Amino acid sequence: MSKRIQAKHKLDRRMGQNIWGRPKSPVNRREYGPGQHGQRRKGKMSDFGTQLRAKQKLKGYYANITEKQFRRYYAEAIRQKGDSGENLVGLLERRLDAVVYRAKFVATPFAARQFVNHGHVKVNGRRVNIPSFLVKPGDVIEVKDKSKQLEVVVVASQLAERDVPDYIEVDHSKMTARVTRIPTLSEVPYPVQMEPNLVIEFYSR
């Protein structure tokens, strides 16, 4: 397990966007960046800067995936047939912690990673504690019986701030979810615009 060093709200402030769409994001109050120079007028960003920002935003959204792991997703995305940006998003959305988050079993991607790490989730009846485990369409993800009454689970399933996307079937009474298909970029409910094509350009330099 890699340790997340960066505070998640710092990323919101640096990007000037509420990346996870959370009510408590500081961007809801202050749209400028952190620090004493945060309110300075920003100059035109270079192509490299735009690509780097797109990478940081997408990488950060999925609970700040490590650079090594994120680069592996890029390598797999360009190896697959079709649009590399779409492939990258498809791989990220197949992560077990991403599916747990999308299914509203927990409130945030960070909580989802911890939830999986602590062994609260089963895939096709077997316990899986690896957040980066890639779920295949048709796989059944379920919360273990002993974990269904945990406060984080009960609270998350009642959250009104986001809906379960169409490519995941969820039964909150049984705490089970099934990925029906790999989503396209337009189907993924990002609260802000993500630009995976710029991420591909960043690594392709």
Side-chain angles (χ1 to χ4, degrees), residues 28-85:
N28 297 340
R29 299 187 302 275
R30 297 184 296 272
E31 291 190 357
Y32 52 85
Q36 66 186 78
H37 304 299
Q39 295 185 64
R40 279 186 177 176
R41 185 177 297 169
K42 293 180 174 67
K44 189 176 184 301
M45 195 174 287
S46 66
D47 287 345
F48 172 80
T50 305
Q51 293 163 0
L52 176 63
R53 189 181 179 89
K55 186 202 78 162
Q56 289 172 332
K57 190 161 61 170
L58 190 62
K59 187 156 97 58
Y61 180 85
Y62 290 94
N64 231 3
I65 298 170
T66 64
E67 180 63 25
K68 184 178 179 181
Q69 198 169 52
F70 201 65
R71 188 177 281 274
R72 280 207 301 268
Y73 288 129
Y74 157 75
E76 178 62 21
I78 61 171
R79 191 188 66 79
Q80 294 178 354
K81 292 179 180 178
D83 183 274
S84 298

Side-chain angles (χ1 to χ4, degrees), residues 10-205:
K10 280 186 179 178
L11 187 64
D12 270 9
R13 295 272 320 269
R14 192 167 78 239
M15 297 295 159
Q17 293 177 300
N18 186 352
I19 291 174
W20 296 279
R22 299 287 289 161
K24 292 183 180 179
S25 172
V27 177
N28 297 340
R29 299 187 302 275
R30 297 184 296 272
E31 291 190 357
Y32 52 85
Q36 66 186 78
H37 304 299
Q39 295 185 64
R40 279 186 177 176
R41 185 177 297 169
K42 293 180 174 67
K44 189 176 184 301
M45 195 174 287
S46 66
D47 287 345
F48 172 80
T50 305
Q51 293 163 0
L52 176 63
R53 189 181 179 89
K55 186 202 78 162
Q56 289 172 332
K57 190 161 61 170
L58 190 62
K59 187 156 97 58
Y61 180 85
Y62 290 94
N64 231 3
I65 298 170
T66 64
E67 180 63 25
K68 184 178 179 181
Q69 198 169 52
F70 201 65
R71 188 177 281 274
R72 280 207 301 268
Y73 288 129
Y74 157 75
E76 178 62 21
I78 61 171
R79 191 188 66 79
Q80 294 178 354
K81 292 179 180 178
D83 183 274
S84 298
E86 292 276 356
N87 293 343
L88 178 61
V89 168
L91 287 165
L92 293 169
E93 282 295 304
R94 284 175 55 203
R95 283 176 59 98
L96 180 57
D97 57 355
V99 176
V100 166
Y101 169 64
R102 292 285 181 226
K104 289 177 71 172
F105 291 158
V106 291
T108 69
F110 299 93
R113 180 187 289 182
Q114 188 177 51
F115 194 70
V116 175
N117 258 319
H118 289 183
H120 296 298
V121 177
K122 292 194 288 187
V123 179
N124 298 330
R126 297 180 63 181
R127 188 171 75 96
V128 178
N129 61 356
I130 303 168
S132 60
F133 176 87
L134 288 182
V135 174
K136 297 188 294 292
D139 284 351
V140 176
I141 295 90
E142 62 180 310
V143 176
K144 285 173 60 181
D145 287 339
K146 289 182 180 179
S147 308
K148 288 177 181 177
Q149 299 307 314
L150 289 173
E151 186 180 359
V152 289
V153 176
V154 175
V155 170
S157 64
Q158 298 169 354
L159 280 176
E161 64 195 53
R162 61 188 174 90
D163 297 319
V164 177
D166 292 340
Y167 52 90
I168 297 178
E169 291 178 352
V170 179
D171 184 342
H172 280 124
S173 64
K174 296 179 181 177
M175 281 296 166
T176 61
R178 189 171 70 88
V179 177
T180 58
R181 65 182 185 279
I182 299 172
T184 61
L185 174 61
S186 60
E187 291 179 302
V188 180
Y190 294 121
V192 297
Q193 184 182 4
M194 293 294 181
E195 299 163 302
N197 58 310
L198 294 180
V199 180
I200 299 297
E201 288 175 16
F202 175 85
Y203 285 119
S204 301
R205 284 175 298 114

